Amino acid sequence: MATLETSTLPLVPLNAGVVLPGMIVTLALETPEARAGVDAARNSNGLVVLVPRLGDSVTTYARVGTVARVENAGEMPDGQRAAMVRGLHRAVIGAGVASTGEALLVSLERAEEPHGTTERAGELAREYRVVVESILEQRGARRFAELLHGVTDPGAVADTAGYWPDLSMERKIELLETLDIEQRLEKAVRWVRDMLGELELKERIRTDVAEGMEKTQREFLLRQQMAAIRKELGELDESGGSDDYRQRLESLAAPEAVRTTVEKEIDRLERTSEQSPESGWIRTWLDTVFELPWGHQSDDRLEVNDARAVLDADHTGLNDVKDRIVEYLAVRKLRDERRLDTLDQIDDTVNGPSVTRRGTGGMILALVGPPGVGKTSLGESVARAMGRRFVRVALGGVRDEAEIRGHRRTYVGAMPGRIVRALKEAGTMNPVVLLDEVDKIGADWRGDPSSALLEVLDPAQNHTFRDHYLDVDLDLSNVLFLATANMAEQIPGPLYDRMEVVNLDGYTEAEKVDIARDHLLARQLRANGLTPDEVVISDEALSVIVADYTREAGVRSLERQLGKLLRKAATKLASHEAVAPVVVNPEDVGSWLGRARFHSEVAERTSVPGVATGLAVTGAGGDVLFVEATGMPGQSGLTITGQLGDVMKESAEIALSYVRSHASALELPEDAFQDRRFHVHVPAGAVPKDGPSAGVTMTTALVSLLSNRAIRPEVGMTGEITLQGKVLPIGGVKQKVLAAHRAGLTEVILPSRNGPDLDDVPETVREQMTFHLASDISQVLAHALVA
């Protein structure tokens, strides 16, 4: 760039700033040189040259200054002199410096800038404007950005950078000394770009920090505003809003996945109007989740001897069940002591890391037996022995799968399943849950509840049980599940496969007397407002009640009879017709309970040929069945009556076919089947009967009829027969033997392959009875028929 118009002007040194052409500033005249320079200018043409000092030196100046006109001068309110100057153009400072009084005069040459604009300078000027406008908009100085549009000269555009307070003194001097317009614009653009980058970085950091530090305060403010809005709309819930749920969430000891789901539902609740039905559904779901005992567990009492003492105190007999429960506690104790909390750790030790996680429960006991043997109360004793909470879930008649898994939340009136409700009722995550009457589960168009129970009772799956209503994983691996059933055959197959069946086949008469004396009598005395000193029932009287007034596998009817007796005693004591103590002896039982309800009718029923005593198992336990056979003239055939099922009907057909095909071997008359029709009947026809154990009894009844030989009244029998006369094994030996003992029978004929099952029969019963093991029907007939 060319320099011309050499002149001499007073110098005003600048100690802390730079004045560029086009700038109008007010200068504080702090030094004598500055005051003298302004005075000299006012006395002549009013022009001065403004030159910045370099560094801390008082004699070193920049090589380029700005020629400015002194517009005004005077004193500020504090007495300091000041002058308002307008920058005109750049000038290159010459070497000579002259002094006129206190003023410094310098020679200079004006730096003339071209009047035209190059294409490159125009592009740089436009880029500069865009960047500066971005900076000014972020800083909120949009008005200054608008003023920038009035500057059109590229050189003047670059000089506006002198107004930036962020630009250092050195860069402003460099800008002043750059005479080429394009180079000046390049520097200005580079500097404002750096400023914009720093500004954006600071803003991003400030935003991130503010979001991190003020999230809680911001959410609180928004919730307060939302509450105020809902209050104005009349939608504020007086029972508490989402803040209450968030406070409860902070103390919820649930897994992280559950907490995340709950937090999402709380967010949904905040976005949902109180007038919407969905708000109530969300609140109900949240209340259900918060009511579950997340993280709460009972401390197990694993002392084996103490547990056995509790079980013995609560129940008489049932040694098999007690032994199995004690074994379970012993295993749990060893695993806890050796820090083997799951079967996985054992697998890891022996076989390396296992793939599938298995729960810590590992035992699903199914207590199978007739009513009244103490299955439910045994579950309560197990819970008490382990120090756990006890919950009973009744499954009898359940046909809806949603009863187990819960309803989908899309349904009106949806609620969680019985398993979740059981945990909520127990208040712990490791209760003893008794699944009562699991053999009476039904199935229809609403689903199969037994299939839903498969996941609940499978130790390999129940640690991630998912209720349809909650839709979160529940860990059921620490729950001890016990199931009860009357008949194992009626438990669905896949469900039965996941259970360990323990049979409770019933009590002997001696055990019933012990139970009545030690348990039932005390409970009925309390129920009827009596004390043990007011009514005394001897063991002999209890034996009479057991033998003559009850005939069941359990003790439910026995307790009812005791209650009836004690109510009558309470009436006499309250009306002063008797004085305490009321003593009940064997001969007094009839006067209290009336005539005996049961007596031994075996001898009477089997006194004529054609009647045999069979043994069967029903839903109420073992029972004695009489099979009657008779013949009459008519068309050959067989009539079967007595509400028999298909299996027993087939047994009757097989029995008749065997007898007819072996008539000579059985020494029957030749004309025994000629023009004769037979009728087989099982009395108590209103009671359905079925099962593969009546073939032997029906065959014996037909042979007795045709041979005109009566059957010994003290003998009962059970077993199935083939067409060749082989006796097949059956089930329920213990229940059948106990039923025979209750009915007064002293001999029982069993299939030879059922001999080992006699070990399950109580020793006191085995000592009082004689057992005949038969593999062929001829052996049965030899023991059963009167010689």
Side-chain angles (χ1 to χ4, degrees):
M1 176 172 293
T3 58
L4 40 87
E5 295 186 12
T6 303
S7 60
T8 302
L9 291 176
L11 183 144
V12 175
L14 301 178
N15 296 325
V18 175
V19 177
L20 295 170
M23 296 177 62
I24 301 175
V25 297
T26 298
L27 300 177
L29 305 178
E30 299 176 348
T31 63
E33 295 89 348
R35 290 191 292 269
V38 171
D39 290 342
R42 295 186 70 186
N43 292 330
S44 60
N45 59 3
L47 297 178
V48 295
V49 60
L50 307 176
V51 183
R53 278 198 174 105
L54 298 180
D56 297 332
S57 174
V58 295
T59 59
T60 306
Y61 298 94
R63 68 181 184 87
V64 178
T66 301
V67 175
R69 183 179 300 277
V70 179
E71 299 286 347
N72 196 2
E75 290 185 358
M76 292 188 294
D78 60 353
Q80 178 70 38
R81 287 192 63 189
M84 184 176 70
V85 297
R86 179 192 299 272
L88 299 178
H89 56 82
R90 285 177 172 77
V92 179
I93 307 301
V97 177
S99 175
T100 304
E102 294 183 356
L104 297 177
L105 299 177
V106 295
S107 62
L108 51 88
E109 294 180 355
R110 177 174 178 173
E112 193 67 32
E113 298 181 0
H115 298 289
T117 303
T118 65
E119 182 178 353
R120 172 62 177 165
E123 292 178 357
L124 291 172
R126 286 192 294 272
E127 183 178 358
Y128 176 83
R129 283 194 180 94
V130 172
V131 177
V132 169
E133 287 175 359
S134 299
I135 296 175
L136 294 176
E137 286 181 2
Q138 288 195 23
R139 291 185 171 180
R142 300 189 59 173
R143 187 174 179 183
F144 183 81
E146 294 173 356
L147 295 176
L148 188 61
H149 289 288
V151 182
T152 59
D153 182 66
V157 170
D159 288 341
T160 59
Y163 287 104
W164 287 104
D166 298 333
L167 204 62
S168 65
M169 180 72 173
E170 290 76 11
R171 286 189 173 181
K172 288 181 180 180
I173 294 175
E174 185 179 352
L175 188 68
L176 176 65
E177 291 180 344
T178 304
L179 302 180
D180 185 79
I181 295 177
E182 290 186 5
Q183 293 180 5
R184 194 188 314 159
L185 282 169
E186 289 175 354
K187 292 180 180 181
V189 169
R190 184 171 66 254
W191 294 337
V192 293
R193 278 180 180 173
D194 293 342
M195 281 190 243
L196 180 61
E198 292 178 4
L199 187 62
E200 290 178 347
L201 178 59
K202 290 179 181 178
E203 181 65 20
R204 186 164 59 251
I205 294 174
R206 188 194 66 80
T207 302
D208 293 343
V209 172
E211 288 179 355
M213 295 181 60
E214 299 175 4
K215 180 180 179 181
T216 304
Q217 292 83 344
R218 184 168 63 254
E219 290 180 354
F220 174 78
L221 177 61
L222 292 174
R223 291 194 196 100
Q224 293 298 318
Q225 292 174 346
M226 185 178 296
I229 294 172
R230 288 183 172 176
K231 184 177 181 180
E232 292 298 326
L233 294 174
E235 297 180 353
L236 187 60
D237 185 8
E238 298 296 334
S239 63
S242 59
D243 289 341
D244 179 51
Y245 287 122
R246 291 191 183 277
Q247 292 175 3
R248 295 166 67 180
L249 178 61
E250 292 179 0
S251 59
L252 187 66
E256 189 60 33
V258 176
R259 294 175 58 88
T260 301
T261 303
V262 172
E263 190 168 5
K264 290 181 180 178
E265 292 299 320
I266 295 175
D267 294 339
R268 283 184 58 207
L269 178 64
E270 292 176 341
R271 297 191 300 268
T272 305
S273 170
E274 291 291 340
Q275 305 300 324
S276 172
E278 188 175 1
S279 175
W281 300 339
I282 297 175
R283 288 181 182 277
T284 302
W285 184 89
L286 289 171
D287 291 339
T288 302
V289 173
F290 283 120
E291 288 171 357
L292 287 176
W294 302 102
H296 296 282
Q297 292 198 4
S298 302
D299 294 331
D300 285 344
R301 288 202 301 263
L302 301 177
E303 292 299 327
V304 176
N305 295 332
D306 294 344
R308 185 61 187 239
V310 171
L311 295 174
D312 289 338
D314 290 349
H315 292 272
T316 299
L318 307 180
N319 290 325
D320 292 343
V321 184
K322 294 177 183 177
D323 291 342
R324 183 61 187 89
I325 294 170
V326 169
E327 291 169 2
Y328 168 78
L329 296 179
V331 172
R332 283 294 303 271
K333 180 180 180 181
L334 291 179
R335 280 173 29 199
D336 287 353
E337 290 177 350
R338 298 172 184 178
R339 300 182 182 277
L340 296 175
D341 295 332
T342 64
L343 295 178
D344 279 344
Q345 292 173 288
I346 300 177
D347 291 343
D348 292 348
T349 303
V350 179
N351 302 318
S354 58
V355 177
T356 304
R357 181 187 186 275
R358 289 177 285 177
T360 59
M363 178 184 75
I364 310 295
L365 276 185
L367 308 178
V368 178
V373 296
K375 300 186 295 295
T376 302
S377 60
L378 185 62
E380 296 178 359
S381 298
V382 171
R384 192 161 70 88
M386 296 183 64
R388 293 190 181 189
R389 301 286 183 87
F390 174 80
V391 185
R392 174 178 170 268
V393 178
L395 299 178
V398 172
R399 294 179 176 272
D400 190 354
E401 180 184 351
E403 289 290 328
I404 306 299
R405 284 192 175 273
H407 303 83
R408 301 281 183 184
R409 292 175 63 188
T410 53
Y411 294 103
V412 176
M415 61 189 304
R418 297 196 180 194
I419 302 300
V420 173
R421 299 205 298 270
L423 294 178
K424 182 172 129 184
E425 180 183 347
T428 63
M429 296 298 286
N430 64 336
V432 175
V433 176
L434 183 75
L435 304 175
D436 210 6
E437 308 293 352
V438 74
D439 59 329
K440 296 178 178 60
I441 295 178
D444 59 13
W445 57 271
R446 290 168 293 187
D448 185 1
S450 64
S451 298
L453 279 174
L454 296 180
E455 183 182 1
V456 175
L457 300 182
D458 193 339
Q461 303 179 40
N462 62 10
H463 64 282
T464 55
F465 173 73
R466 184 168 285 254
D467 184 271
H468 285 164
Y469 180 77
L470 294 181
D471 202 25
V472 296
D473 289 341
L474 280 176
D475 187 357
L476 302 180
S477 59
N478 290 320
V479 178
L480 175 58
F481 288 102
L482 300 177
T484 68
N486 294 135
M487 300 188 69
E489 295 80 8
Q490 295 181 2
I491 301 176
L495 197 59
Y496 184 85
D497 181 61
R498 284 164 170 77
M499 298 178 178
E500 180 179 344
V501 176
V502 178
N503 291 300
L504 288 73
D505 295 317
Y507 301 104
T508 65
E509 289 190 3
E511 289 175 336
K512 288 183 179 181
V513 171
D514 293 339
I515 293 171
R517 179 185 64 248
D518 298 336
H519 304 286
L520 304 182
L521 184 57
R523 187 160 61 199
Q524 284 300 318
L525 284 170
R526 290 193 301 271
N528 291 284
L530 298 170
T531 64
D533 298 333
E534 292 178 315
V535 179
V536 179
I537 304 178
S538 64
D539 286 357
E540 292 77 9
L542 292 174
S543 297
V544 173
I545 297 174
V546 168
D548 297 344
Y549 293 87
T550 65
R551 186 162 292 176
E552 57 173 346
V555 293
R556 197 165 289 164
S557 294
L558 175 58
E559 186 171 8
R560 283 195 289 267
Q561 294 298 325
L562 289 175
K564 178 181 178 180
L565 188 152
L566 293 177
R567 286 193 300 273
K568 292 182 179 297
T571 302
K572 290 184 176 296
L573 290 173
S575 61
H576 303 291
E577 294 181 15
V579 294
V582 176
V583 179
V584 181
N585 293 311
E587 59 274 11
D588 302 324
V589 173
S591 62
W592 291 96
L593 298 180
R595 62 181 179 84
R597 295 178 56 193
F598 301 97
H599 62 279
S600 179
E601 56 179 343
V602 176
E604 177 185 348
R605 298 288 290 273
T606 59
S607 60
V608 296
V611 180
T613 305
L615 304 176
V617 176
T618 67
D623 200 2
V624 171
L625 295 179
F626 295 100
V627 177
E628 299 177 348
T630 187
M632 65 204 79
Q635 185 178 2
S636 298
L638 178 64
T639 300
I640 305 171
T641 57
Q643 280 286 86
L644 303 184
D646 293 338
V647 176
M648 291 189 73
K649 289 178 181 179
E650 292 177 357
S651 297
E653 296 280 358
I654 294 172
L656 180 59
S657 298
Y658 173 81
V659 173
R660 292 185 65 176
S661 62
H662 294 79
S664 59
L666 297 173
E667 299 179 356
L668 301 179
E670 295 181 359
D671 59 348
F673 301 97
Q674 186 175 357
D675 298 326
R676 199 173 184 188
R677 185 174 186 84
F678 295 94
H679 186 169
V680 175
H681 175 63
V682 181
V687 180
K689 294 171 283 293
D690 198 12
S693 61
V696 166
T697 310
M698 291 179 174
T699 304
T700 304
L702 288 171
V703 173
S704 171
L705 172 69
L706 295 172
S707 64
N708 200 29
R709 297 166 62 189
I711 298 175
R712 295 168 58 202
E714 69 274 12
V715 175
M717 63 194 72
T718 181
E720 191 53 83
I721 188 176
T722 67
L723 287 173
Q724 287 75 35
K726 300 298 181 182
V727 179
L728 301 180
I730 43 82
V733 170
K734 180 180 178 181
Q735 295 189 51
K736 293 176 180 179
V737 172
L738 292 178
H741 182 261
R742 289 194 297 270
L745 301 177
T746 58
E747 297 184 26
V748 174
I749 301 175
L750 298 171
S752 59
R753 288 167 60 184
N754 286 117
D757 295 331
L758 290 174
D759 293 339
D760 299 332
V761 179
E763 185 177 356
T764 56
V765 175
R766 294 201 306 267
E767 292 175 352
Q768 299 176 27
M769 303 187 71
T770 302
F771 299 96
H772 303 286
L773 301 179
S775 59
D776 189 85
I777 190 64
S778 60
Q779 297 173 323
V780 176
L781 298 176
H783 292 298
L785 297 177
V786 176

